[in-house]
């Protein structure tokens, strides 16, 4: 699609209003704070195409699974993050005619997502059908300081008329999800109240009994002076509002300040919600919009100090990486271990807002490097708390022991309704195990293993033990009937990545057992008793490790994605008519499954995860073979290719893949951004810079960097937290400069040479 957003280092800017791209912009300009999120819907009425979205973290609905043919083991429901109460609404009428940008001539429209200070701004001039023109300027944000507060400043100025302006701040809980099965509405009214200057609304879900209370207050100013107006109080089903009429003359400026508290029963008792909402709302109103906005800017300034990436000489790349970091910081704060990260974050409904393996495979590294270790630890604790559910999931599929973590979940229970995913994409278990390794390897927090990690690893290993198939004639273990990371191949035998990550998990589990036995003898004895782990099990795991089958092609020197991969017609993507792309929007599923084309990195995913097990030439052979067949129609694909391309010295390919992952949503590469931004792949974008161009790896407890700089950039820098030190790494064409921004000394390896950096110190390493 044609790029329609202006390039800017710190802002996403849309100039001119186009209804055809509005839903895309609603996704891109979303705001959030880890506890709630809001798509960039308009405050005023809009009758054109729009996906309304106000989301509260952890509030979901178990929508009945809808399939044509029920299969044993199917999840009973598909969990959906719910479109919650519309709290941003400010109805505007001019002499009785609603302001509606779908019915006006819109001029001078500018929408800006200010990422540096964390707010969404919009301004435009609207010419009504009767010729009346008014100027509107609006700013809103959800506070990252006061997690239950959202605030709006909305200015209206008549340009060529005098008359009556009707302003209606409201709360509307009569909302629905676009993706609801059978068009069901999910909310019931519990309480509503409209009073002078304020309103409150409580709604609850039809299932699971989540309650959400929203309380609003507002002020109206005329030419900078507060006006006291008698409001008409409006109460309808799941709706509460104040309607105010203001007499206006040409060039009068009417400013509405709207403050809203959104609280949920996840954090407050049912009988306390209204009081809780009012108790957080009152100090926010007293603080006032301008001071709240300053708080927001200061708090975002602190976040950027920890996680900013600076790219010199390439505005498109700079804007893109900051957009990705901004959305990640908006989505997950790590303060609540009951929460996780959905593939669309707070930007849309697709994928139900549930947790996928994306968190462990792609998101964890971002939080490891940009936040305190407790944040990433909470992502692992989330899975530990779901271990019993994972064991139940395995039993539902007929396993007698072990744990199968769900492909999609809200509460640990599988809730994905596509059979090839639910039953076959079992490699997700390996991502959970790898995340434990990744966390411990990066942080050095070995205590996690005995405290939590080993239990998870043992139960995952038990699953693999039962899932493998021993073939006596070949004296090999195989894994049949799976879908690997490449979802364009279903029900295949011996997906190389799945076999490899399964075997690696068994190896790692045995290593951790040995470590805990040696270093925490009493805890080891306790766990062996609790898990009822026998020597015969670990002996079986050793046998599986030594006899796991891995499909290969000796002539090409590559690992085969699955047993039958070379039976396909090997036509590279570049020979396809571009009109066929994206395949998932132009080809039948049958045609896709029979083709050679790869949705996302599969074998290459394994070579990235287990990079220390394979030499550069093995990586090169596999990359050179598979990359030409990869269409990257999963948002999780380009980042892995970018990282490996960096390692292989393929600078142009690395840069191409970086831009593809970084600007995936901004440029709507896959023609699907209107459903929401690809939040979890944004973490992959960060990895493309830090693990790719920065060459970050951790080996034997030491941070290694092997950076190179794309020819398109004059320099770049990033920051990483590592074992108590925050290191700023700047890469130029001549040297790598590392500044320690903390008092904790650090040791690291840069381009093969070891350096020690004192607290607040600096070292310069010449580029190789």
């Amino acid at each position: 699609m044609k790029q329609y957003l202006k390039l800017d280092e710190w802002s996403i800017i849309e100039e001119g209003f186009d209804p055809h791209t509005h839903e895309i912009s609603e996704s891109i300009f979303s705001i959030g704070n880890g506890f709630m999120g809001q798509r960039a819907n308009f405050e005023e009425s809009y009758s054109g195409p729009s996906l309304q979205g106000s989301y509260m973290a952890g509030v979901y609905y178990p929508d009945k699974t809808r399939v044509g043919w029920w299969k044993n083991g199917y999840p009973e429901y598909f969990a959906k993050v719910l479109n919650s109460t519309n709290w941003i609404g400010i109805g505007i009428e001019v002499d009785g005619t609603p302001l509606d940008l779908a019915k006006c001539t819109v001029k001078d429209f500018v929408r800006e997502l200010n990422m540096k200070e964390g707010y969404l701004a919009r301004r435009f001039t609207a010419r009504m059908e009767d010729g009346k023109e008014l100027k509107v300027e609006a700013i809103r944000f959800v506070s990252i300081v006061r997690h239950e507060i959202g605030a709006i400043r909305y200015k209206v100025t008549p340009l060529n008329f005098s008359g009556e302006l009707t302003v209606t701040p409201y709360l509307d809980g009569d909302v629905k999800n676009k993706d609801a099965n059978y068009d069901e509405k999910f909310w019931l009214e519990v309480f509503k109240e409209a009073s002078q200057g304020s309103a409150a609304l409580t709604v609850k879900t039809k299932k699971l009994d989540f309650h959400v209370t929203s309380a609003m207050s507002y002020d109206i100013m005329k030419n900078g002076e507060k006006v006291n107006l008698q409001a008409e109080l409006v109460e309808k089903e799941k709706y509460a509002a104040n309607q105010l009429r203001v007499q206006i003359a040409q060039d009068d400026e009417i400013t509405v300040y709207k403050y809203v508290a959104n609280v949920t029963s996840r954090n407050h008792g049912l009988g306390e919600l209204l009081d809780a909402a009012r108790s957080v709302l009152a100090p926010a109103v007293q603080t006032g919009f301008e001071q709240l906005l300053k708080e927001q800017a200061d708090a975002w300034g602190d976040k950027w100090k920890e996680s900013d990436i600076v790219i010199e000489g390439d505005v498109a790349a700079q804007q893109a990486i900051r957009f990705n970091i901004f959305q990640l910081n908006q989505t997950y704060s790590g303060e609540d271990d009951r929460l996780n990260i959905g593939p669309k974050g707070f930007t849309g409904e697709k994928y139900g807002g549930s947790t996928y393996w994306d968190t462990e495979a792609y998101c964890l590294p971002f939080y490891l490097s940009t936040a305190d270790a407790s944040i990433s630890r909470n992502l692992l604790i989330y899975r530990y708390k779901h271990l019993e559910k994972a064991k139940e999931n395995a039993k539902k599929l007929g396993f007698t022991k072990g744990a199968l973590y769900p492909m999609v979940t809200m509460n640990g229970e599988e809730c994905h309704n596509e059979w090839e995913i639910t039953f076959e994409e079992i490699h997700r278990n390996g991502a959970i195990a790898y995340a434990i390794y990744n966390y411990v390897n990066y942080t050095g927090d070995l205590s996690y293993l005995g405290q939590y990690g080993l239990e998870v690893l043992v139960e995952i290993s038990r699953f693999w033990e039962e899932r493998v198939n021993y073939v006596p004639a070949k004296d090999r273990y195989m894994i049949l009937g799976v879908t690997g990371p490449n979802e364009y191949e279903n029900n295949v035998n011996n997906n190389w990545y799945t076999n490899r990550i399964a075997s690696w998990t068994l190896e790692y589990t045995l290593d951790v057992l040995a470590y805990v036995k040696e270093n925490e003898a009493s805890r080891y004895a306790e766990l062996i008793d609790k898990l009822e782990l026998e020597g015969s099990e670990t002996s079986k795991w050793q046998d599986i490790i030594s006899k796991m089958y891995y499909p290969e092609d000796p002539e090409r020197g590559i690992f085969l994605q699955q047993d039958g991969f070379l039976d396909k017609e090997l036509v590279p993507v570049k020979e396809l008519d571009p009109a066929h792309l994206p395949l998932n929007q132009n080809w039948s599923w049958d045609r896709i499954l029979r083709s050679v084309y790869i949705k996302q990195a599969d074998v290459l995913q394994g070579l990235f995860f287990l990079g220390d097990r394979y030499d550069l030439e093995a990586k090169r052979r596999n990359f050179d073979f598979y990359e030409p067949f990869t269409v990257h129609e999963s948002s999780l694909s380009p980042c892995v290719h970018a990282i490996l391309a960096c390692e292989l010295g393929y600078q142009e390919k690395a840069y191409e893949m970086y831009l593809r992952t970084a600007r995936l949503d901004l440029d709507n590469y896959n023609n699907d951004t209107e459903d929401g931004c690809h939040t979890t792949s944004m973490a992959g974008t960060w990895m493309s810079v830090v693990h790719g161009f920065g060459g970050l790896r951790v080996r034997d407890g030491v941070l290694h960097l092997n950076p190179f700089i794309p020819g398109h950039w004059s320099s770049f820098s990033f920051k990483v937290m590592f074992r108590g030190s925050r290191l700023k790494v700047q890469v130029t064409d001549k040297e790598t400069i590392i500044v320690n921004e903390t008092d904790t000394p650090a040791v690291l390896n840069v381009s093969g040479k070891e350096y020690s950096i004192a607290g607040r110190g600096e070292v310069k390493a010449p580029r190789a």
Side-chain angles (χ1 to χ4, degrees):
M1 129 170 219
K2 181 181 178 182
Q3 179 182 312
Y4 72 97
L5 301 172
K6 184 178 178 181
L7 295 179
D8 185 277
E9 291 186 352
W10 276 109
S11 289
I12 310 300
I13 301 171
E14 177 184 9
E15 295 180 334
F17 179 61
D18 181 355
H20 298 98
T21 57
H22 176 56
E23 288 178 283
I24 297 170
S25 293
E26 286 182 323
S27 297
I28 291 172
F29 289 83
S30 295
I31 54 176
N33 64 4
F35 290 80
M36 61 177 167
Q38 174 65 52
R39 280 174 63 85
N41 312 123
F42 296 157
E43 288 87 358
E44 71 277 359
S45 300
Y46 182 67
S47 60
S50 173
L51 174 58
Q52 183 182 327
S54 301
Y55 308 111
M56 301 302 298
V59 175
Y60 69 97
Y61 189 83
D63 200 6
K64 176 69 176 175
T65 296
R66 188 176 184 179
V67 294
W69 177 26
W70 193 267
K71 301 173 182 66
N72 289 335
Y74 241 34
E76 294 289 331
Y77 65 89
F78 182 65
K80 289 177 166 60
V81 63
L82 292 187
N83 180 22
S84 188
T85 296
N86 175 10
W87 61 271
I88 66 171
I90 303 176
I92 300 293
E93 295 181 15
V94 178
D95 292 327
T97 301
L99 173 62
D100 181 345
L101 268 60
K103 298 178 180 178
C104 298
T105 300
V106 183
K107 301 187 297 183
D108 305 321
F109 181 95
V110 177
R111 180 161 27 191
E112 177 187 1
L113 183 64
N114 185 310
M115 300 180 291
K116 189 173 187 178
E117 299 183 4
Y119 65 81
L120 171 63
R122 185 168 56 104
R123 64 181 184 272
F124 61 88
T125 299
R127 183 179 179 85
M128 312 283 280
E129 290 181 347
D130 60 4
K132 294 173 183 172
E133 291 191 358
L134 65 159
K135 181 174 70 174
V136 174
E137 299 175 80
I139 290 180
R140 75 167 177 251
F141 61 92
V142 290
S143 175
I144 62 170
V145 179
R146 309 173 189 225
H147 294 146
E148 295 168 318
I149 292 293
I152 303 169
R153 185 182 69 201
Y154 193 94
K155 294 182 179 181
V156 181
T157 304
L159 299 179
N160 64 352
F161 69 95
S162 300
E164 184 178 75
L165 186 72
T166 304
V167 179
T168 310
Y170 64 86
L171 301 170
D172 184 7
D174 191 21
V175 296
K176 62 182 181 180
N177 271 47
K178 183 178 180 179
D179 67 347
N181 285 342
Y182 313 104
D183 295 321
E184 180 183 6
K185 289 187 177 181
F186 301 138
W187 295 101
L188 297 172
E189 180 184 299
V190 175
F191 170 84
K192 63 172 177 275
E193 179 183 77
S195 53
Q196 290 295 326
S198 65
L201 176 69
T202 299
V203 291
K204 70 173 184 177
T205 56
K206 291 180 179 178
K207 299 177 184 177
L208 303 185
D209 204 36
F210 286 112
H211 284 55
V212 174
T213 294
S214 301
M216 78 168 188
S217 183
Y218 63 87
D219 288 316
I220 294 187
M221 315 287 284
K222 184 175 182 179
N223 299 323
E225 299 291 330
K226 185 174 180 179
V227 292
N228 294 310
L229 300 168
Q230 191 72 16
E232 178 185 344
L233 306 181
V234 182
E235 294 182 359
K236 299 185 293 187
E237 183 186 1
K238 292 178 276 189
Y239 179 96
N242 279 207
Q243 190 171 83
L244 305 110
R245 302 181 191 280
V246 188
Q247 298 305 311
I248 52 173
Q250 182 175 328
D251 296 328
D252 279 346
E253 183 181 81
I254 304 301
T255 304
V256 182
Y257 293 101
K258 183 178 181 183
Y259 309 90
V260 181
N262 293 304
V263 303
T264 79
S265 56
R266 292 183 67 258
N267 300 311
H268 304 278
L270 292 181
E272 304 166 359
L273 283 170
L274 186 59
D275 287 343
R278 287 172 172 165
S279 68
V280 296
L281 179 63
V285 174
Q286 186 174 9
T287 301
F289 184 88
E290 302 303 332
Q291 185 59 34
L292 291 173
L293 188 60
K294 183 180 184 304
E295 279 183 3
Q296 181 82 343
D298 291 345
W300 270 105
D302 291 339
K303 281 193 177 291
W304 287 115
K305 286 177 185 176
E306 296 175 345
S307 57
D308 192 20
I309 289 177
V310 179
I311 296 172
E312 300 286 351
D314 188 341
V315 177
Q318 176 67 87
Q319 180 188 48
I321 191 60
R322 283 193 172 131
F323 175 67
N324 284 257
I325 294 170
F326 180 73
Q327 291 291 356
L328 285 165
N329 279 323
Q330 286 198 127
T331 300
Y332 182 74
S333 69
E335 297 174 36
D336 186 342
D337 63 20
R338 298 170 299 168
L339 297 176
N340 209 277
I341 304 164
K344 295 289 185 179
F346 291 120
T347 69
E349 299 173 13
K350 193 173 182 182
Y351 305 118
S354 302
T355 299
Y356 284 62
W357 71 295
D358 306 19
T359 293
E360 285 73 28
Y362 299 91
C363 298
L364 182 68
F366 171 79
Y367 297 100
L368 280 172
S369 292
T370 63
D372 185 82
S374 63
I375 304 302
S376 48
R377 199 175 202 259
N378 274 348
L379 287 173
L380 270 63
I381 294 292
Y382 176 88
R383 295 294 194 179
Y384 175 79
K385 287 185 173 181
H386 289 171
L387 180 57
E388 291 306 312
K389 286 285 188 184
K391 290 160 70 174
E392 289 177 19
N393 292 333
K395 286 183 172 62
K396 287 177 183 178
L397 297 188
F399 292 86
T400 60
K401 60 183 179 180
L404 175 59
Y405 276 91
M407 186 65 184
V408 177
T409 194
M410 286 288 192
N411 65 355
E413 188 175 19
E414 179 65 73
C415 59
H416 198 286
N417 59 2
E418 296 178 28
W419 67 269
E420 67 274 14
I421 306 299
T422 306
F423 300 151
E424 295 188 350
E425 205 159 334
I426 55 176
H427 66 82
R428 70 233 192 198
N429 248 15
I432 310 296
Y434 187 81
I436 296 171
Y437 162 80
N438 204 7
Y439 168 79
V440 173
N441 185 49
Y442 191 93
T443 65
D445 181 12
L446 292 163
S447 68
Y448 185 83
L449 296 173
Q451 193 172 3
Y452 300 109
L454 184 54
E455 288 183 66
V456 173
L457 291 169
V458 166
E459 296 297 354
I460 289 176
S461 293
R462 284 171 162 167
F463 169 83
W464 288 126
E465 176 191 346
E466 193 165 343
R467 185 58 173 83
V468 298
N469 184 62
Y470 179 65
V471 182
K474 299 180 179 179
D475 194 24
R476 287 289 179 268
Y477 290 93
M478 300 184 176
I479 305 181
L480 310 178
V482 299
T483 297
N486 172 33
E487 294 172 342
Y488 285 178
E489 288 188 315
N490 297 157
N491 199 29
V492 299
N493 294 334
N494 295 309
N495 170 257
W496 183 86
Y497 173 76
T498 302
N499 289 22
R500 191 66 193 88
I501 201 70
S503 178
W504 175 88
T505 301
L506 296 172
E507 289 182 58
Y508 183 54
T509 303
L510 292 173
D511 289 344
V512 172
L513 277 166
Y515 170 81
V516 175
K517 181 178 182 179
E518 182 177 347
N519 294 277
E520 300 178 44
S522 61
R523 177 59 175 161
Y524 177 80
E526 180 184 339
L527 285 171
I528 293 298
D529 183 59
K530 178 181 179 180
L531 296 167
E532 298 180 350
L533 184 63
E534 299 177 354
S536 58
E537 285 188 88
T538 55
S539 296
K540 180 68 178 291
W541 299 349
Q542 289 281 15
D543 196 48
I544 294 170
I545 293 166
S546 65
K547 297 178 181 177
M548 180 65 82
Y549 167 72
Y550 303 109
E552 298 183 26
D553 177 20
E555 292 185 13
R556 291 179 173 85
I558 62 169
F559 307 120
L560 291 181
Q561 190 162 276
Q562 48 92 3
D563 275 343
F565 191 81
L566 291 180
D567 296 336
K568 301 186 177 196
E569 186 178 5
L570 303 179
V571 179
V573 177
K574 67 180 181 181
E575 295 184 19
L576 276 177
D577 183 339
H580 290 251
L581 300 172
L583 298 182
N584 58 23
Q585 296 175 26
N586 292 286
W587 280 16
S588 70
W589 194 241
D590 170 74
R591 188 176 183 185
I592 288 174
L593 293 179
R594 289 185 287 107
S595 78
V596 73
Y597 303 114
I598 299 169
K599 181 182 180 184
Q600 74 180 78
D602 194 307
V603 168
L604 302 187
Q605 179 77 44
L607 294 178
F608 165 58
F609 269 5
L610 307 179
D612 58 335
R613 303 287 183 100
Y614 301 98
D615 63 32
L616 208 58
E617 287 311 307
K619 295 175 185 177
R620 189 184 310 279
R621 289 192 302 271
N622 282 277
F623 187 95
D624 291 349
F625 178 76
Y626 284 109
E627 205 285 326
F629 301 123
T630 307
V631 291
H632 301 293
E633 289 175 11
S634 165
S635 64
L636 302 175
S637 185
C639 62
V640 174
H641 285 249
I643 295 166
L644 288 174
C646 287
E647 190 175 355
L648 294 170
Y650 294 168
Q651 295 194 20
E652 284 304 312
K653 177 57 69 174
Y655 181 74
E656 173 197 339
M657 290 292 101
Y658 165 76
L659 276 189
R660 177 151 188 164
T661 184
R663 298 194 64 86
L664 179 74
D665 292 308
L666 294 177
D667 295 340
N668 197 18
Y669 267 96
N670 288 343
N671 194 31
D672 60 0
T673 304
E674 69 276 5
D675 295 329
C677 294
H678 297 81
T679 306
T680 52
S681 78
M682 291 175 174
T685 300
W686 177 89
M687 290 167 61
S688 298
V689 175
V690 176
H691 292 254
F693 299 121
L696 185 148
R697 304 290 188 273
V698 177
R699 302 188 185 102
D700 299 322
V702 176
L703 188 72
H704 286 245
L705 299 170
N706 188 28
F708 86 82
I709 186 167
H712 306 266
W713 303 351
S714 55
S715 72
F716 72 98
S717 68
F718 58 89
K719 297 184 179 184
V720 293
M721 293 288 295
F722 185 73
R723 303 194 180 188
S725 302
R726 184 172 68 229
L727 306 175
K728 179 182 177 182
V729 180
Q730 183 177 11
V731 182
T732 72
D733 59 350
K734 294 181 180 179
E735 61 185 356
T736 301
I737 305 165
I738 302 100
V739 177
N740 189 346
E741 297 184 341
T742 63
D743 294 324
T744 304
V747 175
L748 74 161
N749 186 296
V750 184
S751 301
K753 183 178 179 181
E754 191 167 286
Y755 295 85
S756 296
I757 309 178
R760 307 294 169 182
E762 174 183 314
V763 299
K764 296 182 179 180
R767 292 285 312 286

